[in-house]
């Protein structure tokens, strides 16, 4: 592994660091990293890794760029909206450092392909935004003995660690043995996220990757960094390996990849579309256009969201007040509930059914689907 004269100039600020030097820069060049996700976390990770001279960068992403991504996913620009994220990412990375070999995996990472995807790489970095993929990446990395550089973000808070049982540390399951109940932790689309937050957490992950490549410093193996942007505070938790961990413990019960959607309590997509608790935005339009049908539509989003966009004539009963205020509703009345994308309204329907409501349905896709399919004058957010 040699560096060209151009590379020596490019990496000169690294080369003069005694902790890096020529030998270290060659180690960075010899390192391959698989980045799962080219979104909020994947953006700073991919850009800084490429700039730092990582030799090979794999990117797993099957999504396309949406306008609402641009607030934080700095790999992608305005002109990329509608394009595959992986391709947009490759162009941006190539623009930063053409010496970085970018390998695109334009597919969803699954239990069937995860081991083959991860096997050729030295380090895996978790830029996922959902629990099934996070547990899948964890288990695959434990089975293949690859370091898994973890980060996650939520609203104003983030966390990061390095999971590497083969280096003596814990894995993600040692920290979180069970996934949260489905719908308990809102996604960025439902809960919101400060745009710069993935920048900070992604840069922590990138720092850890470079240290692993160099073999320098003390890594986040066995430590969890917690960051709160509102208070501008970093905290640290010591993590221990759980000897009872089902994947990295002394008597592992998970010896191959499992069904992670099922493990996280999420119905497969084919079943989800046939959910008897859901109706479409077309059904909602019919209900609004024909009061004689006797169906009442209720918006369960929060007041701030109502201010951004709402459907005329649909009253608000925020999800956060539903437990206190559901008695205002009639358990024999037929209701359609909508939120932003259909996650919270489905939870609200579940809650109302527990309270004995007979005819509550959730509007699939929420007000965003309404904007796309019924009335484009309603802004999407
Ligand atoms: Zn474990």
């Amino acid at each position: 592994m040699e560096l060209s004269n151009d590379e020596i100039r490019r990496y000169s600020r690294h080369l003069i660091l005694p902790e890096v030097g020529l030998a270290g820069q060659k180690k960075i060049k010899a390192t391959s990293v698989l980045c799962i996700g080219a979104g909020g976390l994947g953006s700073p990770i991919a850009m800084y890794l490429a700039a730092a001279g990582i030799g090979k960068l794999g990117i797993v992403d099957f999504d396309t760029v949406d306008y609402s991504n641009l607030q934080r996913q700095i790999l992608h620009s305005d002109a990329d909206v509608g394009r595959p994220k992986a391709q947009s990412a490759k162009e941006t990375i190539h623009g930063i450092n053409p010496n970085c070999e970018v390998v695109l995996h334009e597919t969803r990472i699954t239990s069937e392909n995860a081991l083959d995807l991860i096997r050729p790489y030295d380090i895996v970095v978790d830029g996922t935004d959902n629990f099934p993929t996070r547990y899948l990446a964890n288990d695959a990395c434990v089975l293949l003995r690859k370091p898994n550089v973890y980060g996650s973000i939520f609203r104003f808070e983030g966390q990061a660690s390095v999971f590497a049982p083969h280096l003596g540390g814990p894995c993600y399951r040692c920290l979180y043995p069970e996934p949260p109940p489905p719908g308990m932790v809102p996604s960025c689309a439902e809960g919101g996220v400060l745009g710069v937050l993935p920048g900070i957490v992604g840069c922590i992950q990138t720092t850890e990757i470079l240290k692993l490549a160099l073999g320098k410093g003390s890594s986040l193996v066995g430590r969890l960094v917690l960051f709160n942007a509102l208070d501008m505070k970093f905290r640290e938790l010591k993590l221990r390996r759980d000897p009872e961990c089902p994947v990295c413990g002394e008597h592992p019960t998970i010896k191959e990849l499992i069904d992670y959607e099922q493990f996280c309590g999420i119905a497969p997509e084919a079943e989800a579309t046939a959910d008897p608790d859901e109706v479409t935005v077309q059904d909602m339009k019919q209900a609004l256009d024909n009061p004689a049908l006797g169906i009442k539509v209720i918006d369960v989003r929060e007041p701030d969201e109502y201010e951004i966009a709402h459907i005329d004539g649909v009253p608000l009963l925020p999800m956060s007040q539903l437990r206190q205020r559901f008695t205002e509703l009639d358990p024999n009345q037929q209701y359609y509930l909508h939120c932003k994308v259909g996650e919270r309204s489905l939870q609200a329907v579940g809650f109302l059914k527990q309270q004995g409501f007979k005819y509550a349905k959730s509007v699939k896709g929420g007000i965003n689907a309404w904007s796309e399919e019924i009335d484009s004058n309603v802004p999407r957010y």
Side-chain angles (χ1 to χ4, degrees):
M1 187 66 67
E2 290 304 318
L3 298 184
S4 68
N5 284 358
D6 281 350
E7 287 176 299
I8 288 173
R9 260 171 68 193
R10 177 183 288 269
Y11 306 125
S12 63
R13 301 301 186 274
H14 270 167
L15 300 181
I16 56 178
L17 288 172
E19 292 81 357
V20 182
L22 198 58
Q25 192 64 46
K26 287 179 182 175
K27 285 183 188 169
I28 295 174
K29 187 176 176 179
T31 300
S32 60
V33 176
L34 183 68
C35 182
I36 304 175
L41 292 169
S43 286
I45 292 167
M47 292 165 80
Y48 270 115
L49 282 179
I54 213 83
K56 183 168 140 186
L57 182 59
I59 292 178
V60 190
D61 203 299
F62 64 95
D63 205 2
T64 53
V65 181
D66 184 83
Y67 267 113
S68 65
N69 299 149
L70 301 178
Q71 163 253 22
R72 64 199 178 283
Q73 301 185 11
I74 55 174
L75 265 173
H76 318 297
S77 64
D78 201 76
D80 294 317
V81 171
R83 296 181 64 211
K85 284 188 183 176
Q87 289 173 25
S88 160
K90 186 174 183 172
E91 281 171 27
T92 304
I93 294 163
H94 192 76
I96 294 170
N97 188 353
N99 299 302
C100 176
E101 182 195 348
V102 180
V103 182
L104 298 186
H105 307 281
E106 292 185 72
T107 178
R108 190 189 289 265
I109 186 167
T110 65
S111 304
E112 285 69 45
N113 64 19
L115 295 175
D116 289 337
L117 278 174
I118 290 172
R119 197 175 283 114
Y121 293 91
D122 301 316
I123 299 170
V124 172
V125 57
D126 179 355
T128 59
D129 58 356
N130 65 82
F131 289 98
T133 312
R134 189 162 293 144
Y135 279 97
L136 166 62
N138 177 73
D139 292 0
C141 287
V142 173
L143 295 176
L144 292 169
R145 302 168 64 84
K146 307 273 184 184
N148 173 18
V149 181
Y150 159 75
S152 75
I153 49 169
F154 180 63
R155 294 186 172 158
F156 292 91
E157 290 174 54
Q159 43 183 260
S161 187
V162 175
F163 298 122
H166 63 289
L167 302 177
C171 81
Y172 182 73
R173 278 183 191 269
C174 298
L175 176 60
Y176 299 112
E178 296 287 333
M184 271 301 288
V185 179
S187 61
C188 284
E190 285 273 4
V193 62
L194 187 72
V196 68
L197 183 70
I200 294 166
V201 175
C203 283
I204 293 173
Q205 291 174 279
T206 312
T207 308
E208 290 305 298
I209 294 168
L210 293 174
K211 282 160 57 192
L212 285 172
L214 291 167
K216 287 278 156 69
S218 19
S219 79
L220 280 181
V221 170
R223 296 188 288 151
L224 180 72
V225 167
L226 302 163
F227 172 63
N228 183 314
L230 274 184
D231 301 335
M232 197 46 81
K233 280 200 173 133
F234 284 91
R235 288 191 300 136
E236 185 181 312
L237 294 179
K238 282 240 174 313
L239 300 181
R240 264 181 245 292
R241 202 165 148 201
D242 177 5
E244 303 296 314
C245 174
V247 67
C248 82
E250 277 149 29
H251 308 285
T253 53
I254 297 170
K255 293 171 183 168
E256 55 187 40
L257 300 178
I258 59 170
D259 182 335
Y260 292 88
E261 303 269 325
Q262 191 186 48
F263 173 67
C264 295
I266 297 164
E269 216 154 87
E271 281 173 40
T273 52
D275 194 319
D277 284 341
E278 284 185 322
V279 293
T280 64
V281 284
Q282 285 76 17
D283 296 327
M284 171 158 83
K285 183 171 179 358
Q286 274 210 324
L288 290 170
D289 290 348
N290 304 295
L293 291 173
I295 301 163
K296 285 197 178 153
V297 182
I298 292 177
D299 183 346
V300 297
R301 298 171 306 145
E302 299 305 312
D304 287 350
E305 299 179 81
Y306 189 86
E307 205 180 309
I308 301 166
H310 64 264
I311 300 163
D312 286 333
V314 177
L316 187 65
L317 202 176
M319 185 76 185
S320 59
Q321 300 171 18
L322 192 63
R323 277 171 197 281
Q324 294 80 47
R325 290 182 51 195
F326 74 91
T327 48
E328 295 171 22
L329 305 176
D330 173 1
N332 295 309
Q333 165 73 43
Q334 195 164 342
Y335 289 107
Y336 288 172
L337 309 183
H338 88 76
C339 63
K340 181 187 169 194
V341 297
E343 286 176 24
R344 280 170 292 171
S345 52
L346 199 55
Q347 271 181 275
V349 163
F351 171 75
L352 289 183
K353 293 219 156 154
Q354 282 170 13
Q355 309 306 319
F357 280 68
K358 294 188 178 65
Y359 306 103
K361 304 266 185 203
S362 163
V363 178
K364 197 172 157 61
I367 195 168
N368 275 359
W370 178 271
S371 167
E372 257 176 273
E373 296 174 38
I374 307 285
D375 181 2
S376 60
N377 290 320
V378 173
R380 262 200 298 154
Y381 65 100

